[in-house]
């Protein structure tokens, strides 16, 4: 193994030899394995209704002939943000199809609730606004994060103030007005990993938000390690097919109520069709993640041994994401792929490659970007479900002749 690489051969062992059930801790309150929950959560009532596929409720409003009861339900929602009992009221308060996805994702992450939004950034914005509404505008964050998350914090667009630190400095960075600690593990795009349990301990009583987009609940559930909030860009692995944009926060019911009130006030709601696609995506999530992870681990092994590659980053946790630094021009590599798609985003069934310094992390200050390990030679690969030999053949051609 290349001494400069962060690739670990043990990361592939679990994918090859251990059944998914034995790698997954029991879900709180549910004896079923994660793969079973992925198929059935959010759908438990369908058979009783004589249905097999979940329905798509496209209504924006719902009839009510008892305006006094309607007023009482609206007052209750305004108080604590709880889902109104009884029939739906209005699409900005909630939607039955989206609610099924939220129920399922909460089950997979092992939290009491989940709240879905129109995008991952809308979800993060709602969390920041909820904390700011409580007078807690200060955020402690660890780089690297997704570039737009970094930009949102650094620019202070929502009135927040951020202190950037390394994991060891979290406790010292906390202030009386700190409302949130934000981390991402494995991180975008370097795949750096954190000890989430140690980070949660360092946070004390301040809520920890862990971005779990790359790992998904198939590989880790941050709530089990002390994170109060688990963020997903659901556009990625949860949807899994590159055809839906969404975000979701898995959390306890108390915080979910705050987020629902923010969603109602700001209008960052998820469309019902997107909720349906996400629920369908969850049903194959364990199978997709496991298959793509096995391919990614093999590609990481080959990239690590390739003299055209200066360094390979692949997390001990496993997963379908690889980052690698090339000796040559990374832009030339991107321009020469054929089977692999040169595009932003990740987590689809097809393999994508991009140059973070030019796209996903372009909005991050150059010095901060490089300080977080996002070098100009770094490429990020989101491995899909294609055959490993076809993908390697494409990468081999794209990397060009040895120097």
């Amino acid at each position: 193994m290349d001494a400069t690489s962060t690739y670990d051969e043990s990361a592939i062992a679990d994918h090859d030899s251990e059944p998914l059930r034995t790698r997954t801790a029991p879900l709180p309150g549910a004896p079923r394995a994660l793969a079973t929950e992925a198929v059935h959560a959010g759908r438990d009532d369908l058979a009783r209704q004589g249905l097999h596929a979940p329905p798509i409720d496209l209504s924006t409003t719902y009839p009510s002939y008892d305006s006094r009861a309607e007023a009482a339900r609206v007052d209750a929602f305004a108080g604590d943000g709880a889902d109104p009992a009884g029939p739906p009221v209005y699409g900005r308060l909630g939607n039955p199809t989206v609610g099924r996805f939220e129920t399922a994702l909460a089950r997979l992450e092992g939290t009491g609730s989940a709240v879905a939004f129109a995008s991952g950034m809308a979800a993060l914005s709602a969390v920041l606004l909820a904390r700011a509404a409580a007078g807690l505008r200060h955020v402690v964050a660890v780089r690297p994060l997704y570039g737009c998350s970094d930009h949102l914090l650094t620019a202070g667009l929502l009135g927040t103030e951020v202190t950037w630190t390394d994991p060891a400095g979290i406790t010292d960075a906390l202030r009386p007005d700190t409302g949130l600690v934000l981390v991402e593990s494995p991180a975008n795009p370097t795949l750096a990993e954190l000890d989430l349990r140690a980070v949660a301990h360092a946070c004390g009583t301040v809520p920890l938000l862990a971005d779990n987009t790359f790992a998904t609940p198939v590989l880790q559930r941050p709530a089990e390690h002390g994170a109060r909030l688990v963020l997903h860009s659901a556009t990625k692995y949860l949807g899994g097919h590159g055809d839906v944009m969404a975000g979701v926060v898995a959390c306890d019911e108390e915080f979910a109520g705050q987020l629902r009130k923010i969603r109602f006030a700001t209008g960052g709601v998820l469309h019902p069709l997107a909720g349906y696609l996400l629920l369908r995506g969850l049903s194959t999530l364990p199978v997709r993640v496991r298959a793509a992870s096995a391919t990614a681990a093999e590609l990481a092994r080959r990239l690590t041994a390739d003299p055209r590659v200066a360094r390979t980053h692949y997390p001990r946790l496993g997963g379908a994401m690889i980052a690698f630094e090339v000796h040559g021009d990374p832009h030339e590599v991107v321009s020469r792929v054929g089977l692999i798609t040169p595009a932003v985003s990740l987590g689809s069934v097809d393999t994508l490659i991009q140059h973070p310094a030019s796209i996903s992390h372009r909005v991050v200050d150059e010095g901060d970007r490089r300080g977080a390990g996002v070098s100009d030679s770094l490429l990020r690969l989101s491995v899909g479900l294609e055959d490993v030999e076809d993908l390697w053949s494409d990468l081999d051609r794209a990397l060009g002749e040895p120097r």
Side-chain angles (χ1 to χ4, degrees):
M1 183 172 70
D2 186 342
T4 63
S5 297
T6 55
Y7 164 70
D8 179 6
E9 290 199 17
S10 65
I12 183 56
D14 287 345
H15 300 292
D16 283 343
S17 60
E18 233 179 312
L20 185 60
R21 175 187 286 270
T22 61
R23 293 192 298 107
T24 304
L27 291 167
R32 302 187 298 196
L34 184 138
T36 304
E37 287 289 354
V39 173
H40 291 278
R43 304 169 180 83
D44 294 325
D45 64 322
L46 293 179
R48 294 192 298 274
Q49 299 183 57
L51 299 172
H52 183 238
I56 306 174
D57 188 333
L58 295 173
S59 298
T60 57
T61 191
Y62 300 85
S64 173
Y65 294 94
D66 188 343
S67 56
R68 293 184 182 87
E70 198 82 331
R73 293 202 297 150
V74 172
D75 286 346
F77 177 85
D80 60 13
D83 280 326
V89 178
Y90 182 59
R92 198 146 42 83
L93 275 80
N95 171 272
T97 306
V98 173
R100 289 181 181 278
F101 163 66
E102 293 172 330
T103 296
L105 193 276
R107 295 281 290 180
L108 294 182
E109 284 290 2
T111 60
S113 299
V115 184
F117 295 85
S119 70
M121 291 308 301
L124 176 57
S125 296
V127 173
L128 296 175
L129 289 172
R131 301 311 282 160
L136 303 169
R137 296 182 175 274
H138 179 241
V139 177
V140 174
V142 176
R143 282 190 173 110
L145 296 174
Y146 169 54
C148 287
S149 299
D150 189 310
H151 175 67
L152 180 64
L153 293 174
T154 302
L157 296 175
L158 297 179
T160 55
E161 179 185 348
V162 62
T163 296
W164 295 101
T165 185
D166 57 34
I170 289 174
T171 299
D172 290 339
L174 299 178
R175 307 187 326 204
D177 63 338
T178 302
L180 190 71
V181 175
L182 176 57
V183 302
E184 183 174 2
S185 180
N188 187 353
T190 66
L191 303 174
E193 297 176 274
L194 300 175
D195 182 340
L196 291 178
R197 192 174 300 279
V199 169
H201 179 75
C203 294
T205 59
V206 176
L208 169 64
L209 184 153
D211 189 325
N212 202 33
T213 299
F214 276 21
T216 80
V218 177
L219 299 179
Q220 75 177 4
R221 286 189 292 278
E224 295 178 353
H225 301 287
R228 186 178 179 189
L229 306 164
V230 183
L231 174 70
H232 285 272
S233 172
T235 308
K236 313 307 195 289
Y237 289 103
L238 303 189
H241 293 76
D243 57 7
V244 59
M245 184 168 288
V248 64
V249 179
C251 56
D252 56 61
E253 175 56 28
E254 179 185 359
F255 208 104
Q258 300 173 40
L259 293 178
R260 292 189 196 102
K261 289 193 289 185
I262 295 291
R263 184 177 64 182
F264 173 75
T266 60
V269 296
L270 184 67
H271 192 275
L273 180 58
Y276 170 84
L277 290 173
L278 289 167
L279 185 63
R280 187 175 68 172
L282 289 185
S283 64
T284 61
L285 179 66
V287 176
R288 287 186 286 105
V289 169
R290 197 166 178 225
S293 297
T295 300
E298 174 59 22
L299 291 176
R301 180 155 42 215
R302 297 185 190 190
L303 287 167
T304 298
D306 197 299
R308 296 166 294 182
V309 176
R311 189 176 185 185
T312 303
H313 306 261
Y314 187 69
R316 294 180 61 87
L317 189 68
M321 299 299 300
I322 306 170
F324 60 100
E325 300 170 51
V326 296
H327 287 299
D329 186 346
H331 301 284
E332 289 298 314
V333 177
V334 171
S335 71
R336 287 194 291 254
V337 294
L339 176 66
I340 297 168
T341 302
V344 298
S345 200
L346 56 107
S348 185
V349 291
D350 60 322
T351 299
L352 309 177
I353 192 170
Q354 66 120 323
H355 182 241
S358 296
I359 306 179
S360 63
H361 288 70
R362 190 67 179 176
V363 293
V364 179
D365 175 80
E366 183 178 357
D368 293 335
R369 186 171 68 231
R370 291 180 175 174
V374 186
S375 71
D376 291 342
S377 64
L378 185 76
L379 293 169
R380 193 190 73 187
L381 190 71
S382 169
V383 179
L385 300 180
E386 302 95 338
D387 184 85
V388 65
E389 297 301 336
D390 290 329
L391 290 173
W392 178 249
S393 178
D394 198 37
L395 277 175
D396 186 37
R397 285 193 302 270
L399 286 168
E401 295 297 323
R403 306 187 81 187

